[in-house]
Structures are given as C-alpha cells and as structure tokens.
Amino acid sequence: MRTSKYLLSTLKETPLNAEAISHKLMLRAGMIYNISSGIYSWLPTGLRVLRKIENIIRKEMEKIGAIELFLPVVQPVDLWRKSGRLELYGSELFRFVDRNNRNFILGPTHEEVISNLIRDLVISYKQLPLNLFQIQTKFRDEVRPRYGVMRSREFIMKDAYSFHIDHESLQKTYNIMYDTYKKIFSRIGLKFYVVKADTGSIGGSISHEFQVIVKNGENSIVFSTESDFVEKIEFTEAVLPSLSYKKPAKKMSIIDTINIKTINDLVKQFNFPIDKIVKTLIVHANENSSNHLIALLIRGDHKLNKIKAEKHPLVTSPLQFATKKEIKDIINADPGFLGPVNISIPIIADRSVIVMNDFISGSNIKGKHYIGINWLRDLPLPEEYDLRDVVDGDMSPDGKGILKIKRGIEIGHIFQLGTKYSEIINVSVQDKKGRNQIITMGCYGIGITRIIAAAIEQNHDDRGIIWSDVIAPFQVAILPIDIYRSYRVRKVAEDLYIKLNRSGIDVILDDRNERVGVMFSDMELIGVPYLIIIGEHNLNKNKVEYRERCSNDKKLIEVDNIIFFLKEKLAHCFV
Amino acid sequence: MRTSKYLLSTLKETPLNAEAISHKLMLRAGMIYNISSGIYSWLPTGLRVLRKIENIIRKEMEKIGAIELFLPVVQPVDLWRKSGRLELYGSELFRFVDRNNRNFILGPTHEEVISNLIRDLVISYKQLPLNLFQIQTKFRDEVRPRYGVMRSREFIMKDAYSFHIDHESLQKTYNIMYDTYKKIFSRIGLKFYVVKADTGSIGGSISHEFQVIVKNGENSIVFSTESDFVEKIEFTEAVLPSLSYKKPAKKMSIIDTINIKTINDLVKQFNFPIDKIVKTLIVHANENSSNHLIALLIRGDHKLNKIKAEKHPLVTSPLQFATKKEIKDIINADPGFLGPVNISIPIIADRSVIVMNDFISGSNIKGKHYIGINWLRDLPLPEEYDLRDVVDGDMSPDGKGILKIKRGIEIGHIFQLGTKYSEIINVSVQDKKGRNQIITMGCYGIGITRIIAAAIEQNHDDRGIIWSDVIAPFQVAILPIDIYRSYRVRKVAEDLYIKLNRSGIDVILDDRNERVGVMFSDMELIGVPYLIIIGEHNLNKNKVEYRERCSNDKKLIEVDNIIFFLKEKLAHCFV
C-alpha cells in the first residue's frame, strides 16, 4: 500500500468523548469512525486488523473441523418468543416490523436460528457431531455503549454451535474448543485468563470465559498474590481468617439517627467505623420457605454477591428485592432503618457478619439505630452463608496468598447448552436403533471487534498502538526522506516496496512527501511493528535505518540485507 | 472436506414455493435455508460459492487500487432525511427506533454514510482520487421477495464509492470500474450484457447496468437479431417501418359498449383487432404547459414507456396519472371510455398511433366507443412522440435486423453521481489554490448473492447445478465405491484426497458409505465440476474413472496421473 493512495486519516488531537485509551487510539489511528452512539465505520486501517483476526480464528476453527456458514441478521420474533429469550433480552434487542407488520429482531446471537435449521436438515446420528460457525455482525441495544468498540451496539462476533448425540460427545468438542480458544488468543498475542462463568441469558450448565485484564474492564477478576488462582468475583469464595467470635465490649443501646439515609451518612455523622455497621437487605424467599421475605446481612463495607445469594436454597433466583411497600406491610419495618434486631423474618448473615461484635444497624423504627449489638447476647446467631464479593486483601480460597482484584473484559465465552434449545425447538435425530433422540448442544463465542480494543489496551505507549506482528495493519513501513528530491532514495524505497510485497509481507510505503517526523508519528501511532527509514546520508554507506516499534531498538542495516532480515523477523507469521 | 463431517443437506424432492430454477436448485443442493420471506441462511455449500465470488471481486478491486472498509448496517434516519432519500425509498427501508427513541434504518446502500465520513476525514485534493469499497449485508423490505436470493430482503453486495476533484477524474475511474466489472463477471463465468441505465433512486447522470439473461429476470433487455445492439427496453427507440398514413376505408360512427371495461373486452365482444384500438391515458402536465392534463395515445397492444413519456417537455416527471375525479372535473369525460375525439386537452400520440387508420377508441361518453376513426378527416393530427415499449419484431434502431426481447437480471450497476450527495452533505476539499471545492462522486454496486442465482439460471441441467471451476463449492469430488469394504479403494481415495488438498484444490471426499448412485446424484446436484470414481474393478487395471460435469465426458485415468490431470484442468483457477 502507498499512503498517497490510502485513506490514512490519522488525527493529531485526542478526540473528545473517548475515555478508554484503546478508544482514543483507535480514533486517532484512523481505525474507526463514529456515526452514532456505539455504531462505527471500520476504516481501512481498522478493517485490516479486523480481517487478520478473523482469518486467524477462521483457520483455527477449520483446523478442528468446524464448518463455516452464514446465518441471517434479521430473525423472526416468534423464534425468540418460543425460546423465552424475548423477555430475557428485553430492550437489548433491536426490534422492528416489516411492511406486512411482521415482527423481527436484529440478531445478537443465533441459538434459535441454528437450532431451527438443524432440526430440518439433520436427521440421523450419523450426521453428528457437527460444529458450525460463522463470523458476522451482531446487534445489541446497550444501555450504555462506551469505550468505542469495547461495548458497541453493532459488533462482529465469531459464533459457533456444536450438535451432539450425547453429553460425552459435547464434552469432547467443548474441550477441543477450550484449547482452540487458548491457541487463538495466544496467536493474536493477548495475555488472557480462563475463568468459570455464569451462563446468563445464553443458558446451559458449564461455561468458561476468556478474560483480558484492561483498565476499563467491566468484570472483576480475582487473582491470588501467591498462586495461579484466578476466578470471576461472582464465584470467588470469601474465606474468613478465623471464625472466633469476639466478645461484647459495649452495651446495646438505641440512638437517634433521623437524617441518616445511607451507610456513608452514618460513618460521616457519627464517626462509626464502616466495618462496624451491618447492612440489612430484604429479598424474596422462594417456594421452599414458609416466609415470603428473607433478610440478608452484609458488613457495611462489603458488596452483596447476587449469584451467591441466589444459590441459597430459600432465596429466589433471579434475586428479587422486596419493595418498600412489602417491607412495611409484611414486616412492619421502616425501609430506611432496617436491622436484624426484632425482625420477624429469617435472617441469613454473611460469614464476616457472624464474627462482628459491638456492631451498629438499623432498628426497623424510623430515625433510630442500634449500636453495641452483639450476637447471642442481644439476638440469636443467624444462619451463616457466603454472601459477599471478595475484596482486595481477602485470603485466597486456595490457601495461598491474598486476593487482588483487577478489571477484565470478556473476549470469548464457551457454553455447554445441553438440551435447553433443542428441547424447546424439538431438535432430534434418529439414533442407532432408530429412536428419536433430542440433540445436545454447545455454543462458543468470540468478540472479534472487542479483541482489537483489548489488544490495544494491553499494548500501547504514549506514541500510539503496539501491534503484534500477526495482527498489525501493516507489518513494515518504508519511510523515504525527500522521496521526490532524491532519485536514489526513491529507487531504493520503490525496490524494497516491490520486493517486500512479493514476499507476502504487508508493507506500506509513505510516499506523501511529508517530513520524516510526520511519517514517524503516523506509523508509530498506527503501530507498524517495523520501520525502514531511507535517507541519502545512510545510503552513502549503502545502509538504511531499521526501527522496531515494540522494543524501540534501532540500527543500520545494509540495503542488500533488509529483505532477508525482515523475512526472518516475520517468519512466525507465515507458519 | 469429508462428507461425513460436512453439512451436505441435499434434498431429493423439489421444494414447494420455489418458482425459479435457481431457487429450486439452491434449496435442493443445500446452499440456502429459508427462515422468513426473502431471508435466508447460507449453508456451508452456499457460503463456499459466495466466498469465492467475494474473493474474485475483492482481488479485482484491489488490483485497481480500491481500498476496502466496512460501514455500519445501522444508519441514523437523519442522514437519509437530509439527502431526501427517506421518502424516495419509503417502505423499502427497514426502520426502527432504539431504546432512546432515536430513529434508524438498516442500510440498503451507503452513499450518505460514506459522504459523511469523507467530509470529516478528507481535507485536501492531495488525498484524491479515492476509491473505497466494502462487501456487506444489505437490507431492503421488498414488496415481493421472490426467486430465492434473486430478490431477497437481506442480501450481500459489494458497493464502492469514488471521490474526485473533478469530473475528468471521475470519468477515468468510471471507465476503469466499467472494465473491471466486465473482467469480474467474465472470471466468474457469466454471460452478461452492459446496458445504459436509469439512475433511479441512487441519482446522478450517467449509469450502466450489467445484465444477465435469465428466465425470471425482472428487466426487459432488447437485442437485435443481426447486430450486437443491446439496450434496456426503457431506452430503446421504437422505430417505425414507414410513416406513410393509410387512407380511411370506413366511416366514423359511434357504438354502444356499455359493459366494456378493458381493451380485452373490446377485442373479445366485438372481435376488433387489438392493433386497431387506441388507448387513451390522461397524465399531469408540468409547469411548461398551459393545461393541467395531457392525453397520451398508445396502440391497444402496446405498453406505455414511462421513461420516454417523462422525457416529453410538457409531461411531469415522475409520471403522474390523472385521477378519475380529475378526468371528470377537468375534461368532463368518462374515465372508462376515454378517447381522442372531442377531448379538450393537448394530445401526444405514439408514433405507431399516427399511422393507424379506421381505428377504435372511447368517446369520452359513458358506454360509447367510436369506430372507424381516421386522422385529419375526423380529428386533427396530434403531436407525435415515441411513447411505447418496443416489442418483439420491431425494427432495430441501428437499422440492422429486428428486435428480440429477453428477460434480464441486474448483477452490477455503476453510477456517475457527480455532486448530488457531496453538495447536500457539503463534502469539500481544499484545491491546489487553497479554495474549497465540492467533491465529485461515483458509486458502483455488485449484487453478490444475486450473482449466484444468475450463474445457476445460466448453467444447470436436469441433474442439478453446473458451476464454473472458479466458483464451484468444491472443484473435485472423490467417490469411493465400498470405501469401508475395500482397503485398496480406501487407500487410493485417502491418498488422492490428501494430495489434492495439498495442491490447493478444493476437494470433497464422499466417505459416507453410500451407494454410488446416491453419491453421484448429490455431487452432480451441487455441481462439482470433476468427479473421480474409485472402485475395485478399475483399480485392477490401476485406473479410476473420471467424469466431467459440464460436458458429461467420462474416461479411465491411470491412478498415478490423476493429480497431474486435475491440476492441468484447474490451472486457470490459480492464475
């Protein structure tokens, strides 16, 4: 490519309205162009990176025998109503009607569509297992589109769906996909972590996420300082250092707290330590309980972990908080001053609450709090349960080191769906004995556009993006100084350009006749890994200057050696 | 690929609801799967063909320096309101609102989006000319989706947009695109015609269409029997054999025709020859006329050509027919019995009407027709104009041979847009002297999914599809007889499979253990160009059977010669 015939469109200024560094750099490097909230055009430089990632994924998928197809963007609402996901996705679905008033959605995922197709096209166990994938534009009407392509409303995914006669076959493919995902992300050059995950709106049982640690990540990923423990915060057990109850030191008394609205108010106005305060949350009980409501207790500085709470045998799932009216009507308490003393419903207390002494909480009476509360003395010891998110400094559940929480972004997610969709849509095949057998399914996603943002978050400096060789938009940039004044410079540059192109190396020749500083800052901004600077001065010694983007190394290389040198550098891309 | 691990999904029965042969064969060959009216999944076999066509197009576009980008599917309605195309496209646009009640459309084309982008990213004449393209899914809410992917609501297009400092530069790129389109369609193996076209809802001045002749085509393409004359019927001049007026033979009289509603009724009930009847159509005049309405006369067996009528200096464009009420109120005539005699508005008669004698038409009085009408004698000779579509047997406008009309389908369309969009969206650059200069644009489309249907319409037989080597889903099929009973058959088949794969040939090995008849009919249906049948009988002679799909040739080939033989056959695919 020649810059003179290319749409480079780099920006000097950092664009407003971009928070994440990857978003800023993608805009500045001319990779994307915003048209509406969360909707982007992929400019040539961005698309080059996108296509390289797509091709790595495609090749790895084909290696394991997955077969590519292409499902429609537009999906009939009926399919989603049938699977029960119309409500589940709710306003995240872009919905519309056609000229005949038929209802459609823009696909955020394709479980329904592909299950339907397989039901009609696959009839015998002999056709299984099947692993089908597509690379396609998906749509999701995000509440808060942000961080550029990290959370956008129109994005590109690789989604795969596997079909099996039984769970054993699914497990086999699941394991292969698990390994293939690791291979793909490694090839792309990402540092990532695999964590157990919630199956959420996709459904099924077992599921794993592939997470990349980035500054603006939306997930909390928990690490241990002294082992390779890694988990999503949703699943990490909060382990207590010891379960010894501290002795009461204070008497329980009631105080006036009429203007208190939050725990922070309590801390500020009364100077109470936040870890001496107990938060009381009232949630719905499920049909296993004889009560309608249940009280959950969490220490003031802790956060309720919904997934843990939902696992309690008496709590509804998904978790449902009691309304103010329910609290008043059913337990006759003031919703702003809740507490475990004299409450008429079952209490489940977080492990760290059980070991508290002389603690503070609401009194269930408007404008009053209890202080100096102690278990056993002032009220019975409640049921103990792990209810909270872990925090920095908690002990690691594997007993090694303490926990450190980082922000992560999901770039891949694999699911064992089981028969969730195949039962609803009646996807069955004839087994060996001619009997109908419901198919077992898996599904596997990679957020392709998001990978690009993640890669930039992980690899950049103050001059711009640092790409790995395999996904860089161009692998080599040729920067000739005074190309239109020096015949010799032009000749060497053009020769090199032609030869590198012939070698299958992605090369960009900057023939804009710009100052070397401008060429430099553009090529460093868009993250070209290897730069060759050609000038009269070095050509006198029959040399050109070589610079490496990631290491900042520079050296002079003989003109005749450049091709060989670069081919060696890039050899790993041609495996 | 091995059939045992592939989603072949061929159908024996011809599906209902499919009219066009290409639609039937695509369903039967397991290329597409219908999910809703005009919306299809691309199954693996279909996608393989699609991707091959995409790659041919991509390579040819890159050869001429066009740069790929990827614009969003979702476009803000505001852009379309601004360009005036919101109304023009009307209910062909899929429209929807997001969760914040902002209005969007699903893009059927991207002139607005790309003009907007270029306005912001291109600032200097030095960055021009630019030729940008994308390959993308497009959406159009067709009134009548039909013939499978020939007229679907979700389809794939290559659209390119070029940007220029002046018309000369546009003309240069336009000519290059014109030639490149011819090259692309030739490489794909299509027989096509280039015709001058209407610019329609895209706009601009000059435009050409690339048409393929197919049975269910939606356009009428006019050919001459004795020259290479080819035109869309909209533009073809209707030439008269002679302009000599025939003498009156009958007297004009009025007859009772109370139950007559159509020209056909007139022909049936009175046995009048249809070419003796004159149709009278009342349309709106434009501001150049002192009258509000104008009467157009066409021979009973002819069809009004709207584009020709719109070119008349006194007729509104787009053509607008008078309502029944307007006809009654303004010219005091009965809308069911219109005719040129005693009409109070200007008359424009088609050339073939001017030479009629003793003709029949309405009397403007309910239930009455005139017969035996003659020009000059019964009413003045009206203005003569070319108003009709040509018909089979008309003289060719180039004076050579007679005309023959065939049905065509548009697979490509190129436009000189000029400044239509750049003026509205204010897309300008600084010219050499630092002055602002509005950009000149071109745009260029190829209907990729439609090409597949067109290729099948042109090349098939009663056994299925006949692909050209370059777009066939597989180039070679290996059909081993009794693969699991004969070690020798299996060994030769597997060897051949591995070697062909290594040679870069797209090969499918049918390892399903099916009867040879089943394998044959599947591979012939999906149109694999070259079949190799491996059986014990021929292996005794160290030979395999070779069959050619397009010619039906068959012969025995030495096992050791197959690879060389097939490489020779397919050499043209690797240019």
Side-chain angles (χ1 to χ4, degrees):
Chain A
M1 189 60 66
R2 294 165 186 276
T3 48
S4 63
K5 308 213 177 297
Y6 187 66
L7 184 62
L8 198 60
S9 62
T10 50
L11 305 176
K12 281 200 195 87
E13 284 83 37
T14 300
L16 302 170
N17 308 324
E19 292 169 70
I21 184 70
S22 56
H23 188 194
K24 285 178 195 167
L25 285 174
M26 287 181 80
L27 289 169
R28 282 194 54 212
M31 292 181 68
I32 52 173
Y33 174 85
N34 184 233
I35 185 178
S36 181
S37 170
I39 297 171
Y40 294 89
S41 290
W42 285 85
L43 299 175
T45 305
L47 185 64
R48 293 178 75 92
V49 178
L50 190 63
R51 285 284 146 82
K52 288 189 180 188
I53 294 174
E54 284 179 7
N55 284 335
I56 289 172
I57 296 171
R58 181 173 285 119
K59 274 189 191 151
E60 293 298 331
M61 294 306 296
E62 284 172 353
K63 270 189 207 164
I64 59 168
I67 299 163
E68 190 168 0
L69 44 50
F70 196 61
L71 304 169
V73 164
V74 170
Q75 305 181 14
V77 153
D78 296 346
L79 281 178
W80 283 68
R81 193 169 284 125
K82 202 169 172 187
S83 72
R85 294 211 298 176
L86 192 60
E87 265 191 31
L88 201 61
Y89 268 73
S91 48
E92 286 204 345
L93 290 173
F94 284 115
R95 292 182 60 168
F96 63 97
V97 293
D98 72 359
R99 60 163 77 223
N100 299 314
N101 265 320
R102 288 201 199 89
N103 280 273
F104 294 92
I105 61 129
L106 297 183
T109 172
H110 281 78
E111 283 79 7
E112 289 83 355
V113 168
I114 202 159
S115 300
N116 218 51
L117 181 156
I118 293 297
R119 184 197 58 205
D120 287 0
L121 301 182
V122 173
I123 47 170
S124 160
Y125 74 96
K126 289 183 198 167
Q127 295 169 274
L128 301 183
L130 259 182
N131 190 353
L132 302 169
F133 78 100
Q134 62 171 345
I135 291 175
Q136 198 202 29
T137 303
K138 308 274 182 189
F139 301 85
R140 193 185 283 259
D141 197 358
E142 295 284 353
V143 188
R144 282 188 61 194
R146 56 183 168 162
Y147 306 142
V149 299
M150 224 190 281
R151 187 157 288 278
S152 57
R153 300 201 287 174
E154 178 169 340
F155 52 98
I156 296 172
M157 275 192 72
K158 186 282 299 178
D159 45 331
Y161 306 88
S162 71
F163 303 89
H164 310 270
I165 192 72
D166 55 25
H167 182 79
E168 197 189 328
S169 168
L170 166 62
Q171 186 67 52
K172 214 170 140 186
T173 296
Y174 189 84
N175 294 347
I176 292 170
M177 290 298 269
Y178 184 104
D179 292 338
T180 302
Y181 271 42
K182 292 213 284 189
K183 208 165 149 191
I184 288 169
F185 299 134
S186 300
R187 272 191 67 186
I188 291 170
L190 292 169
K191 288 187 284 292
F192 63 94
Y193 299 93
V194 194
V195 292
K196 200 180 68 165
D198 186 34
T199 52
S201 61
I202 302 287
S205 51
I206 293 167
S207 139
H208 287 90
E209 279 176 13
F210 296 77
Q211 289 271 351
V212 167
I213 302 306
V214 296
K215 198 181 162 206
N216 298 295
E218 293 176 328
N219 302 120
S220 294
I221 310 297
V222 184
F223 295 85
S224 161
T225 52
E226 304 197 0
S227 74
D228 57 2
F229 177 89
V230 54
E231 249 180 19
K232 286 191 84 175
I233 202 162
E234 286 78 355
F235 299 102
T236 310
E237 190 187 353
V239 185
L240 274 189
S242 85
L243 284 171
S244 61
Y245 305 105
K246 290 173 204 133
K247 283 187 184 159
K250 294 183 182 166
K251 264 178 56 183
M252 184 169 93
S253 60
I254 199 157
I255 59 165
D256 279 336
T257 53
I258 193 71
N259 293 321
I260 296 299
K261 286 194 177 135
T262 65
I263 290 198
N264 276 342
D265 293 346
L266 218 50
V267 172
K268 272 188 202 156
Q269 289 190 31
F270 293 89
N271 229 355
F272 294 143
I274 192 163
D275 61 1
K276 281 289 180 193
I277 302 169
V278 163
K279 265 190 288 198
T280 308
L281 304 161
I282 313 292
V283 300
H284 284 208
N286 65 23
E287 65 283 358
N288 298 328
S289 169
S290 52
N291 288 76
H292 185 57
L293 300 178
I294 287 182
L296 306 179
L297 306 187
I298 303 290
R299 209 170 75 186
D301 56 338
H302 286 160
K303 207 175 147 240
L304 177 74
N305 181 310
K306 286 189 186 179
I307 293 198
K308 289 181 180 178
E310 286 165 0
K311 283 190 186 139
H312 190 282
L314 298 183
V315 172
T316 50
S317 177
L319 199 69
Q320 209 181 330
F321 289 99
T323 61
K324 286 182 181 176
K325 190 172 181 308
E326 285 172 326
I327 292 171
K328 280 181 191 157
D329 292 354
I330 301 174
I331 58 176
N332 192 27
D334 186 283
F337 296 84
L338 294 168
V341 182
N342 296 327
I343 205 161
S344 59
I345 50 172
I347 297 174
I348 307 168
D350 181 59
R351 288 173 179 173
S352 53
V353 170
I354 296 290
V355 295
M356 287 167 80
N357 69 338
D358 299 331
F359 63 84
I360 300 136
S361 86
S363 63
N364 300 317
I365 303 159
K366 192 176 170 73
K368 305 272 183 197
H369 274 80
Y370 282 116
I371 58 170
I373 316 170
N374 282 278
W375 298 117
L376 298 169
R377 188 191 70 185
D378 305 323
L379 74 176
L381 200 62
E383 183 189 344
E384 170 197 324
Y385 205 75
D386 180 11
L387 283 178
R388 69 169 173 101
D389 280 350
V390 293
V391 293
D392 275 342
D394 273 343
M395 275 178 55
S396 175
D398 66 357
K400 297 171 193 160
I402 56 166
L403 297 179
K404 180 86 195 143
I405 297 162
K406 295 181 183 173
R407 307 301 297 168
I409 185 160
E410 175 197 334
I411 51 167
H413 202 159
I414 58 178
F415 300 84
Q416 295 192 7
L417 294 175
T419 55
K420 173 179 167 173
Y421 295 91
S422 46
E423 263 170 26
I424 296 169
I425 297 166
N426 194 26
V427 193
S428 64
V429 290
Q430 289 209 320
D431 69 9
K432 277 183 189 170
K433 292 178 180 161
R435 293 167 309 201
N436 265 357
Q437 166 83 40
I438 289 286
I439 275 180
T440 299
M441 283 174 64
C443 79
Y444 318 87
I446 293 182
I448 298 183
T449 38
R450 180 179 278 186
I451 281 179
I452 298 178
I456 296 174
E457 292 280 334
Q458 286 197 339
N459 297 291
H460 65 270
D461 59 18
D462 52 0
R463 286 170 291 143
I465 301 166
I466 301 172
W467 296 112
S468 73
D469 297 353
V470 289
I471 63 168
F474 300 98
Q475 294 165 320
V476 175
I478 303 171
L479 312 185
I481 302 170
D482 285 334
I483 186 169
Y484 296 110
R485 266 195 279 170
S486 161
Y487 172 75
R488 197 159 54 142
V489 167
R490 191 158 73 248
K491 174 92 174 57
V492 173
E494 292 283 348
D495 268 10
L496 185 59
Y497 176 67
I498 289 165
K499 284 178 186 156
L500 287 174
N501 260 328
R502 277 199 202 128
S503 309
I505 290 173
D506 263 336
V507 56
I508 184 160
L509 167 64
D510 199 339
D511 60 350
R512 286 176 298 170
N513 204 19
E514 285 283 3
R515 283 177 301 109
V516 70
V518 173
M519 294 194 284
F520 251 127
S521 56
D522 274 347
M523 294 304 145
E524 293 202 318
L525 175 59
I526 71 171
V528 181
Y530 307 105
L531 307 185
I532 302 292
I533 303 102
I534 302 172
E536 279 282 350
H537 181 70
N538 287 324
L539 282 184
N540 286 334
K541 294 171 278 176
N542 202 29
K543 288 185 172 174
V544 296
E545 191 186 328
Y546 159 82
R547 292 213 198 182
E548 209 166 276
R549 179 75 181 87
C550 73
S551 66
N552 262 326
D553 281 354
K554 43 177 140 173
K555 60 178 171 185
L556 295 178
I557 301 183
E558 294 271 336
V559 169
D560 291 342
N561 287 341
I562 320 165
I563 305 274
F564 179 76
F565 179 83
L566 289 172
K567 271 191 184 170
E568 287 274 289
K569 279 276 169 197
L570 291 165
H572 68 108
C573 298
F574 296 95
V575 193
Chain B
M1 188 60 65
R2 292 164 188 278
T3 48
S4 63
K5 308 213 178 296
Y6 186 68
L7 183 63
L8 198 61
S9 62
T10 49
L11 305 175
K12 280 200 194 88
E13 283 84 38
T14 299
L16 303 170
N17 308 325
E19 292 169 70
I21 184 71
S22 57
H23 188 195
K24 286 179 193 166
L25 285 174
M26 286 181 80
L27 290 169
R28 283 193 55 210
M31 292 182 67
I32 52 172
Y33 174 83
N34 183 235
I35 184 177
S36 180
S37 169
I39 298 172
Y40 293 88
S41 290
W42 285 84
L43 299 174
T45 305
L47 186 62
R48 293 179 75 93
V49 177
L50 191 61
R51 285 284 145 82
K52 289 188 180 188
I53 294 175
E54 285 179 5
N55 284 335
I56 289 171
I57 294 172
R58 181 174 285 119
K59 275 190 191 151
E60 293 298 333
M61 292 307 292
E62 284 172 353
K63 270 190 209 164
I64 58 167
I67 299 163
E68 191 168 0
L69 44 51
F70 196 61
L71 303 170
V73 164
V74 170
Q75 305 181 12
V77 153
D78 297 345
L79 280 178
W80 283 68
R81 195 169 283 126
K82 201 169 171 185
S83 72
R85 293 210 297 177
L86 193 61
E87 265 191 31
L88 202 60
Y89 268 72
S91 49
E92 287 205 344
L93 290 173
F94 282 116
R95 292 183 61 167
F96 62 98
V97 293
D98 72 0
R99 59 163 78 224
N100 299 314
N101 265 319
R102 288 200 199 89
N103 280 273
F104 294 92
I105 61 128
L106 297 182
T109 171
H110 282 76
E111 283 78 6
E112 289 84 354
V113 168
I114 202 159
S115 301
N116 219 50
L117 182 158
I118 292 296
R119 184 197 56 206
D120 287 1
L121 301 182
V122 174
I123 48 171
S124 160
Y125 75 96
K126 289 183 197 166
Q127 294 169 274
L128 301 182
L130 260 181
N131 190 352
L132 302 169
F133 77 101
Q134 62 170 345
I135 291 175
Q136 198 203 29
T137 303
K138 309 272 182 190
F139 300 85
R140 194 185 283 259
D141 197 358
E142 294 284 354
V143 188
R144 283 187 63 192
R146 55 181 170 164
Y147 307 141
V149 299
M150 224 191 284
R151 186 158 288 277
S152 58
R153 299 201 289 175
E154 178 171 340
F155 52 99
I156 297 173
M157 274 192 71
K158 187 281 300 178
D159 44 331
Y161 305 88
S162 70
F163 303 89
H164 310 271
I165 192 71
D166 56 25
H167 183 79
E168 197 188 330
S169 168
L170 166 62
Q171 185 67 52
K172 214 169 139 187
T173 297
Y174 189 85
N175 293 346
I176 292 170
M177 291 297 270
Y178 183 104
D179 291 339
T180 302
Y181 271 41
K182 292 212 287 189
K183 209 165 149 192
I184 289 168
F185 300 132
S186 299
R187 271 192 68 187
I188 291 170
L190 291 170
K191 289 186 283 291
F192 62 93
Y193 298 92
V194 194
V195 292
K196 200 180 67 163
D198 187 32
T199 53
S201 60
I202 302 287
S205 51
I206 292 167
S207 143
H208 287 89
E209 278 175 15
F210 296 76
Q211 291 269 351
V212 166
I213 301 307
V214 296
K215 198 181 162 208
N216 297 297
E218 293 177 325
N219 302 119
S220 294
I221 310 296
V222 184
F223 295 84
S224 160
T225 51
E226 304 199 358
S227 74
D228 56 3
F229 177 89
V230 54
E231 249 179 17
K232 288 192 79 175
I233 202 163
E234 286 79 354
F235 298 102
T236 310
E237 191 188 351
V239 184
L240 274 188
S242 86
L243 284 171
S244 61
Y245 306 104
K246 292 174 203 133
K247 282 185 183 162
K250 294 183 181 169
K251 260 176 60 182
M252 184 170 93
S253 59
I254 199 156
I255 60 167
D256 277 334
T257 53
I258 195 70
N259 292 321
I260 295 302
K261 284 191 178 137
T262 65
I263 290 199
N264 277 342
D265 292 347
L266 217 49
V267 173
K268 273 187 201 157
Q269 288 191 30
F270 293 89
N271 231 350
F272 293 144
I274 191 163
D275 61 1
K276 280 289 182 194
I277 300 169
V278 163
K279 263 191 290 198
T280 306
L281 304 161
I282 313 291
V283 299
H284 283 209
N286 65 22
E287 65 282 358
N288 299 328
S289 170
S290 52
N291 287 76
H292 185 57
L293 300 179
I294 288 182
L296 306 179
L297 306 187
I298 303 289
R299 209 169 76 185
D301 55 341
H302 285 160
K303 208 175 147 244
L304 178 72
N305 181 311
K306 284 189 188 181
I307 293 197
K308 289 181 181 177
E310 285 163 1
K311 282 190 188 141
H312 189 282
L314 299 183
V315 172
T316 50
S317 175
L319 198 69
Q320 209 180 330
F321 288 97
T323 61
K324 284 184 181 175
K325 188 171 183 309
E326 284 173 328
I327 292 171
K328 278 181 193 158
D329 292 355
I330 300 175
I331 58 174
N332 192 27
D334 187 284
F337 296 84
L338 293 168
V341 182
N342 295 329
I343 204 161
S344 60
I345 50 173
I347 298 174
I348 307 170
D350 180 60
R351 288 175 180 172
S352 54
V353 172
I354 296 290
V355 294
M356 288 168 78
N357 70 337
D358 298 331
F359 62 86
I360 299 135
S361 86
S363 64
N364 300 317
I365 302 158
K366 192 177 170 72
K368 306 271 186 197
H369 273 80
Y370 282 118
I371 58 170
I373 315 171
N374 282 278
W375 297 116
L376 297 170
R377 186 191 71 185
D378 305 321
L379 75 176
L381 200 62
E383 183 189 343
E384 169 196 325
Y385 205 74
D386 179 12
L387 282 179
R388 68 167 173 104
D389 281 349
V390 292
V391 293
D392 275 342
D394 273 344
M395 273 177 60
S396 177
D398 67 356
K400 298 170 193 163
I402 56 165
L403 296 179
K404 179 88 195 143
I405 297 163
K406 296 182 183 172
R407 306 302 297 169
I409 185 160
E410 174 196 333
I411 52 167
H413 202 158
I414 58 177
F415 299 84
Q416 296 192 6
L417 294 176
T419 55
K420 173 178 167 175
Y421 295 90
S422 47
E423 265 171 26
I424 294 169
I425 297 168
N426 194 25
V427 193
S428 63
V429 290
Q430 289 208 319
D431 68 10
K432 277 185 189 168
K433 293 179 181 160
R435 293 168 308 200
N436 265 357
Q437 167 83 40
I438 289 288
I439 276 179
T440 298
M441 284 174 65
C443 80
Y444 317 88
I446 294 181
I448 298 183
T449 37
R450 179 178 279 186
I451 281 178
I452 298 178
I456 297 174
E457 292 280 336
Q458 284 197 340
N459 297 290
H460 65 270
D461 59 18
D462 52 1
R463 286 169 292 143
I465 301 165
I466 301 171
W467 295 113
S468 73
D469 296 353
V470 288
I471 63 168
F474 300 99
Q475 293 165 321
V476 175
I478 303 171
L479 312 184
I481 301 169
D482 285 333
I483 185 168
Y484 297 108
R485 266 196 279 170
S486 161
Y487 171 77
R488 197 159 54 141
V489 166
R490 192 157 74 247
K491 174 91 175 59
V492 172
E494 291 283 347
D495 269 10
L496 184 59
Y497 176 65
I498 290 165
K499 284 179 186 157
L500 287 175
N501 260 326
R502 278 200 202 126
S503 309
I505 290 172
D506 264 335
V507 56
I508 185 161
L509 167 64
D510 199 339
D511 60 350
R512 287 176 298 172
N513 203 20
E514 286 282 6
R515 284 178 300 109
V516 69
V518 173
M519 295 194 282
F520 251 128
S521 55
D522 274 347
M523 294 304 144
E524 292 200 319
L525 175 58
I526 70 171
V528 182
Y530 306 106
L531 308 185
I532 302 292
I533 303 103
I534 302 172
E536 279 282 351
H537 181 72
N538 288 324
L539 282 184
N540 286 334
K541 294 172 277 176
N542 202 30
K543 287 187 173 173
V544 295
E545 189 184 332
Y546 159 83
R547 291 214 199 180
E548 208 167 276
R549 179 73 181 89
C550 75
S551 66
N552 264 325
D553 280 354
K554 41 178 142 172
K555 61 177 167 183
L556 295 178
I557 301 185
E558 295 273 334
V559 170
D560 291 341
N561 288 342
I562 319 166
I563 306 273
F564 178 77
F565 179 81
L566 289 172
K567 271 191 185 169
E568 286 273 289
K569 279 275 171 200
L570 291 164
H572 67 108
C573 298
F574 297 94
V575 192

